[in-house]
Amino acid sequence: MVGCGTGGPAAARLLAGLGHQVTVFERFADPQPVGAGIMLQPTGQRVLARLGLLDRVASGSSVVERIYALSHRQRVVMDFGYDDVEPGLHGLGVHRGLLFHALFDEIEAAGVELRLGVEVTGIERGASGCELVDAAGDRHGPFDLVVAADGARSPLRRATDLARRDTEYPWGAIWAIVDDCRGRHSNVLYQHYRGTRVTFGLLPTGAAADGRPRVSLYWSVENRRVADLRRRGLDAFKAEIRGLTSEGDEVLDQITDADQLVHAAYRDVVMRRLHSGDRLVFVGDAAHAMSSQLGQGANLVLLDAAALADAIQARPDLASALASYQAARRAHVRFYRWMSRMMTPLFQSNLVFLGPPRDLLLEPVSRPRPVRRFMVELLAGRVLADGFRVRRPPTGGRGRRS
Ligand SMILES: Cc1cc2nc3c(=O)[nH]c(=O)nc-3n(C[C@H](O)[C@H](O)[C@H](O)COP(=O)(O)OP(=O)(O)OC[C@H]3O[C@@H](n4cnc5c(N)ncnc54)[C@H](O)[C@@H]3O)c2cc1C
């Protein structure tokens, strides 16, 4: 397994649970999650339940029941409740650190071998398996199978000719995580837009160790503007947000140092196939990085990990297992990649003419029940996700949690 982010440890745990001997390589000696909060959708929650981790993650996270978005003219642009589709359905606003540590503890307890501080730079195939080559020139292996979970800038993807598209998306986001002092932002993912160039968002993100609720702030930004934004200083940044909404005032008061703001950019990756022969397979952002507009990336990689483990368990040989994994994930990944590409310009682009019709039409168009259901299913990550079979947590691995 190359990469110990979200997909790497999830796939490692599931495969170790099937009795496979798994080694995880991670370039950082002390891997830490970057960024602030993420939305864990019902799809991702199902995989965490299978790993026996849902209770731990949910207990430190915020239940998100609704998405509410306004235009700069205070017009409602989106107002969806997950329970429009199913009572009890919800998202979880999760601190990345919580998800990461839950997964990391699980692979340590399962006896997965960890090789931290090893930056994998290449792969070499031989008759008896694959060897990994690291930045120091050392070789590791041979391994029967290499799972590339090395993220959006995957060096292993670049070592193949499988990418049909691999570009930086021109927009990203600036994130910060702070206290939600008066618990004002619980249960709702709140967004506020000015045309297609400006999005301000607040995502409830669970509670700190001392019980104080937290909220993640995000501000959409064109990547080439980030240096300028930093040069203009924190007060100018806050003034831009305050000019749009007063909803973030208490949150902004807690941002006193520009280092509290983290810039994250997205990539747009399309691969011809999710595997190269029967020795190398891709999961998560390495396989299908996309903009975070639909908040699906971490959920997609959890589904990939589960589908890969299912395919390896069900198929007698790696060639047919990897073909089966690819078949199981193709429609779902393709659909979300396509929707993400269609929808991102409506919220993050210089196509300013798209802003007014979005503000006028999105809410009334999504009022009829079938459209509303579709929008919520889309958000929940469940459209075309049926190939994913939910099963009990794996047996046979050490450290299994029930
Ligand atoms: C601003 C932003 C907001 C987002 N919001 C959401 C959201 O709300 N909901 C959601 O589901 N998703 C969201 N995502 C997407 C989500 O974060 C990713 O899709 C998800 O983390 C991908 O997981 P991964 O395991 O594929 O890759 P990563 O989590 O990126 O892990 C890759 C790992 O591989 C390691 N690595 C890289 N190269 C090497 C190498 N050469 N050798 C060894 N190790 C290596 C890295 O250090 C890293 O630990 C968001 C992303 C961004 C940028």
Side-chain angles (χ1 to χ4, degrees):
M1 195 73 53
V2 181
C4 190
T6 309
R13 175 65 186 92
L14 289 163
L15 290 171
L18 296 175
H20 297 283
Q21 200 184 330
V22 184
T23 307
V24 174
F25 293 84
E26 167 57 48
R27 66 183 158 160
F28 291 121
D30 179 20
Q32 293 291 335
V34 287
I38 55 168
M39 273 277 268
L40 199 64
Q41 303 293 354
T43 45
Q45 292 169 34
R46 283 165 69 187
V47 180
L48 284 190
R50 172 172 165 177
L51 285 160
L53 293 175
L54 184 59
D55 289 347
R56 172 172 172 186
V57 171
S59 66
S61 304
S62 301
V63 169
V64 178
E65 292 167 347
R66 206 168 133 232
I67 301 220
Y68 184 70
L70 293 173
S71 75
H72 62 294
R73 297 186 195 285
Q74 312 305 319
R75 189 184 174 94
V76 176
V77 181
M78 277 191 252
D79 186 4
F80 303 120
Y82 281 89
D83 64 0
D84 287 340
V85 161
E86 202 177 294
L89 196 70
H90 59 266
L92 286 175
V94 182
H95 192 292
R96 276 174 193 271
L98 174 65
L99 180 61
F100 173 79
H101 288 296
L103 289 166
F104 194 77
D105 289 353
E106 196 65 15
I107 54 170
E108 279 197 310
V112 166
E113 185 183 342
L114 289 166
R115 297 198 196 165
L116 304 178
V118 179
E119 182 177 355
V120 174
T121 52
I123 179 167
E124 286 181 12
R125 292 150 214 242
S128 58
C130 272
E131 283 191 335
L132 293 173
V133 183
D134 70 25
D138 292 333
R139 304 169 84 85
H140 308 263
F143 300 104
D144 296 327
L145 176 67
V146 171
V147 181
D150 49 350
R153 287 168 187 76
S154 166
L156 288 179
R157 183 182 63 238
R158 287 171 186 172
T160 72
D161 59 358
L162 288 178
R164 198 145 44 88
R165 190 185 178 94
D166 182 358
T167 53
E168 187 92 33
Y169 193 75
W171 290 70
I174 287 183
W175 285 81
I177 185 161
V178 293
D179 290 342
D180 177 12
C181 304
R182 290 191 281 156
R184 282 186 57 198
H185 305 291
S186 51
N187 303 123
V188 180
L189 170 64
Y190 172 86
Q191 298 194 334
H192 212 120
Y193 315 120
R194 187 192 300 281
T196 54
R197 286 187 175 139
V198 175
T199 294
F200 169 72
L202 291 169
L203 170 69
T205 313
D210 60 8
R212 275 173 305 152
R214 290 177 300 201
V215 62
S216 296
L217 161 157
Y218 54 95
W219 179 252
S220 164
V221 66
E222 200 173 0
N223 298 329
R224 65 188 171 97
R225 275 199 63 221
V226 173
D228 180 48
L229 209 66
R230 290 208 184 270
R231 203 168 31 246
R232 284 169 49 221
L234 210 46
D235 288 340
F237 172 73
K238 291 183 185 183
E240 261 190 63
I241 297 178
R242 288 198 161 109
L244 176 68
T245 173
S246 59
E247 199 60 29
D249 281 357
E250 283 178 13
V251 168
L252 291 174
D253 287 344
Q254 296 175 62
I255 299 175
T256 52
D257 185 332
D259 286 346
Q260 284 173 268
L261 302 172
V262 179
H263 172 231
Y266 328 120
R267 286 193 83 77
D268 188 6
V269 171
V270 182
M271 290 181 81
R272 273 186 274 279
R273 274 194 323 277
L274 297 181
H275 60 97
S276 169
D278 59 356
R279 297 282 186 204
L280 174 62
V281 64
F282 293 82
V283 297
D285 280 7
H288 43 66
M290 60 186 78
S291 106
S292 72
Q293 194 59 51
L294 290 171
Q296 298 295 326
N299 302 279
L300 289 172
V301 71
L302 289 170
L303 290 173
D304 289 351
L308 180 63
D310 284 346
I312 287 175
Q313 187 183 25
R315 299 288 170 159
D317 62 285
L318 277 174
S320 63
L322 299 190
S324 162
Y325 160 69
Q326 149 105 8
R329 295 298 295 134
R330 186 170 41 207
H332 187 236
V333 166
R334 217 182 247 176
F335 174 78
Y336 275 93
R337 191 174 56 227
W338 184 76
M339 284 308 289
S340 175
R341 208 177 282 154
M342 294 278 290
M343 293 195 65
T344 302
L346 284 175
F347 299 91
Q348 287 192 292
S349 76
N350 285 317
L351 303 176
V352 288
F353 61 91
L354 294 174
R358 175 202 65 194
D359 293 350
L360 276 175
L361 296 174
L362 195 54
E363 194 276 329
V365 163
S366 53
R367 256 182 240 156
R369 194 160 166 71
V371 183
R372 208 172 174 70
R373 281 187 70 93
F374 174 76
M375 300 294 266
V376 178
E377 289 285 6
L378 173 69
L379 177 75
R382 304 201 305 185
V383 180
L384 297 179
D386 288 343
F388 166 59
R389 290 175 292 137
V390 187
R391 288 216 294 254
R392 291 167 174 280
T395 54
R398 280 173 283 157
R400 182 168 65 96
R401 287 157 200 248
S402 54

